[in-house]
Amino acid sequence: MKIKKAIIPAAGLGTRVLPASKSVPKEMLNIVDKPAIQYLVEEAAASGIEDILVITNRGKGLIEDHFDHSFELEANLAGNPSKAKLYESVKECADLANIYFIRQKETKGLAHAILAGRSFIGDDPFVVLYGDDVIINNENPVTKQMIELYEKYEKGIVGVEAVPEELIHLYCSLGLTDIPGEDKLWKCWQINEKPKPEEVLSLYAILGRVVLPANAMDMIAEGIAKTPADKEFYLTDVFTDMGKAGNLLAYAYDGRHYDMGNKMGIMKANCEVALDHPEIGEDFKAYLKELVKTF
Ligand code: UTP
């Protein structure tokens, strides 16, 4: 079944990047000349996704404005031939895909945010692009890599990366079994959230992208219904249940990942994207070379 729908949860509080994220959502923080969330929407569109639901909340109206037409700005740029490129770049934000918005009315975690998209998803499989995880592969977008695997194996796919041993306690740790003939894809049978040393199963953690069957929504709804109102229900519990039933694969994607939810991630994203940028790349490289001499 072709996957045409994606959800981007972007309703978190972004406490790790305060005060920057006080009035600007962290998903709107800049990477050189585009907000982080635009990289996600471009990745989804380049992967064949047609309909994208962004989960927002109060104070995230900037995201909606960014993907809408700005008639005054467009009319101004359109009248100036020297600004033709800028005009195109502004206009295309509104034309990348069909983008819908819904609010998560209480900030009750990632699983709760995704469930806000239940009626949008209906009976279709879908991709989740975590709103603050920018993953760059311009030749073969990570969402496309994962959709192809979903279509081949018809099992849920979690995108994973190896994290340093001293940091694994901040992430989750996956129990993995080899699949003959595959070197970056495993069966995933267990996920330990924020593991203690004795709970570390591997150094692979889920980072940024997952592809799920429609019934994952039912699993989230059931999990939330069973969880006391003052506790968070974790998406990893759904993954664990899928894994135990033999319905989950883990894929070490091919792409450069930047966590826009923390300061180092934001700086790495800006630095590396600037070095590759057609307009400023060379100048920025020269600047950095000079700068390192002063350390
Ligand atoms: P994070 O856990 O990184 O987001 O969620 P956060 O809660 O904003 O982070 P901190 O810890 O306070 O800094 C990953 C993605 O899920 C979204 C976030 O916006 C982010 O893009 N999210 C998280 C929601 O949409 N709703 C939530 O209730 C929580």
Side-chain angles (χ1 to χ4, degrees), residues 9-17 26-27 55 60 104 106-110 113 130-132 261:
L13 296 177
T15 51
R16 286 165 298 150
V17 285
K26 65 177 167 178
E27 296 80 8
I55 316 291
K60 301 238 181 185
Q104 180 189 19
E106 288 174 275
T107 312
K108 288 178 131 184
L110 184 58
Y130 295 23
D132 54 356

Side-chain angles (χ1 to χ4, degrees), residues 4-173:
K4 299 283 175 200
K5 291 181 182 172
I7 293 181
I8 302 181
L13 296 177
T15 51
R16 286 165 298 150
V17 285
L18 282 169
S21 55
K22 185 181 170 198
S23 55
V24 177
K26 65 177 167 178
E27 296 80 8
M28 285 296 289
L29 293 177
N30 194 51
I31 304 178
V32 184
D33 52 5
K34 291 186 279 194
I37 194 167
Q38 188 173 338
Y39 291 83
L40 273 67
V41 169
E42 288 178 355
E43 175 191 330
S47 305
I49 296 293
E50 292 172 359
D51 296 309
I52 300 173
L53 179 69
V54 183
I55 316 291
T56 64
N57 64 11
R58 225 163 295 113
K60 301 238 181 185
L62 277 183
I63 302 178
E64 295 183 36
D65 291 346
H66 184 73
F67 292 107
D68 195 359
H69 284 289
S70 168
F71 289 107
E72 194 185 346
L73 182 61
E74 286 174 24
N76 186 297
L77 295 171
N80 185 340
S82 71
K83 303 218 164 136
K85 247 171 119 179
L86 279 180
Y87 169 70
E88 283 308 321
S89 72
V90 166
K91 197 167 124 347
E92 79 170 11
C93 296
D95 299 330
L96 288 166
N98 303 318
I99 306 181
Y100 309 87
F101 298 90
I102 193 166
R103 285 187 179 202
Q104 180 189 19
K105 295 197 182 88
E106 288 174 275
T107 312
K108 288 178 131 184
L110 184 58
H112 182 264
I114 292 170
L115 190 61
R118 192 180 193 179
S119 56
F120 166 81
I121 292 305
D123 294 328
D124 299 321
F126 60 103
V127 183
V128 182
L129 298 95
Y130 295 23
D132 54 356
D133 284 302
V134 171
I135 310 178
I136 296 187
N137 180 333
N138 293 327
E139 281 72 45
N140 188 14
V142 168
T143 290
K144 184 159 180 274
Q145 297 170 29
M146 292 179 59
I147 286 177
E148 283 167 6
L149 289 171
Y150 184 92
E151 287 170 359
K152 179 170 173 192
Y153 288 96
E154 295 198 343
K155 290 182 191 298
I157 317 269
V158 289
V160 301
E161 250 188 40
V163 300
E165 194 167 357
E166 63 279 14
L167 297 181
I168 190 75
H169 68 281
L170 299 171
Y171 296 85
C172 62
S173 169

